Amino acid sequence: MIASVAGTVASIGADAAVVEVGGVGLRLLCAPGTLASLRVGQQARLSATLIVREDSLTLFGFADDDEKQLFELLLTASGVGPKLAQAALSVHTPDALRAALSHGDVSTLTQVPGIGKKGAERMVLELRDKVGPVAAVPAQGGRVQAWTEQVRQGLVGLGWSQAQADQAVTAVAETIDGPTPPVPVLLKQAIRLLGKAR
């Protein structure tokens, strides 16, 4: 089992990074917040979980062990696969997710694409007693409010200039009407806008 990966960041994409370890490039699927913290050519250490399926071996990367442990806990809930667990960690911080599960906060859980009301209720029922101690969480779960910085960092990490990233974030912010979409959706929208501008 692969528990962590440390090496040089070879490339960063919209949903994954390649880290070179001993001459081998390992592709890790990561949340936007994790990708935003990486820089091509620099050293990085990511906690990792290897998901083994009949037809694939998929490596998921995390900023720290706390994020990884929560990802693995989410996978124990019925109906939650690796992509949904990662989506949850893309939208909310680990502390916000633990608080939502512990307090039965269905509305926070349903902000994650792919989690409906019934799915959220099932997750609360199955995971409430397993989440461990819950820290105090800022309103709206931390990550939802910080999307502008995450998208900006993600764009710079993908090679755009700070000025281009700022313009794209401003343009994306103007399109939001109502609840803020998840960071991966906003990042893809910003990449599309920058692609058109090139």
Side-chain angles (χ1 to χ4, degrees):
M1 182 60 74
I2 297 172
S4 66
V5 170
T8 305
V9 179
S11 66
I12 302 169
D15 63 353
V18 175
V19 178
E20 281 199 3
V21 183
V24 177
L26 298 175
R27 182 174 184 267
L28 296 101
L29 295 176
C30 304
T34 302
L35 292 171
S37 69
L38 303 175
R39 294 291 175 266
V40 173
Q42 292 187 1
Q43 292 292 304
R45 182 200 175 276
L46 296 173
S47 294
T49 296
L50 180 65
I51 303 293
V52 180
R53 294 280 187 260
E54 238 178 73
D55 57 347
S56 68
L57 297 171
T58 308
L59 205 51
F60 287 82
F62 308 94
D64 54 38
D65 290 338
D66 184 42
E67 217 173 76
K68 172 188 167 177
Q69 286 164 3
L70 187 55
F71 174 84
E72 291 174 346
L73 176 67
L74 292 171
L75 291 181
T76 66
S78 40
V80 177
K83 289 212 167 118
L84 194 56
Q86 191 176 44
L89 286 163
S90 296
V91 175
H92 298 296
T93 62
D95 285 342
L97 278 173
R98 282 196 186 90
L101 291 165
S102 180
H103 302 136
D105 185 354
V106 170
S107 66
T108 294
L109 295 172
T110 54
Q111 289 174 4
V112 178
I115 298 180
K117 189 168 184 281
K118 283 187 179 170
E121 287 167 350
R122 189 172 57 243
M123 285 171 71
V124 167
L125 188 68
E126 294 179 22
L127 302 178
R128 171 179 268 160
D129 300 327
K130 299 179 186 176
V131 292
V134 177
V137 178
Q140 288 199 7
R143 265 188 207 169
V144 177
Q145 297 167 320
W147 74 266
T148 53
E149 190 51 36
Q150 285 188 43
V151 171
R152 188 177 290 114
Q153 288 179 355
L155 293 170
V156 171
L158 290 169
W160 277 283
S161 70
Q162 193 71 49
Q164 288 172 312
D166 288 341
Q167 285 176 342
V169 166
T170 303
V172 170
E174 288 169 2
T175 67
I176 296 171
D177 184 23
T180 306
V183 173
V185 172
L186 296 166
L187 182 60
K188 283 178 185 165
Q189 197 176 337
I191 290 168
R192 271 199 304 272
L193 286 168
L194 286 167
K196 284 177 188 169
R198 277 187 168 173

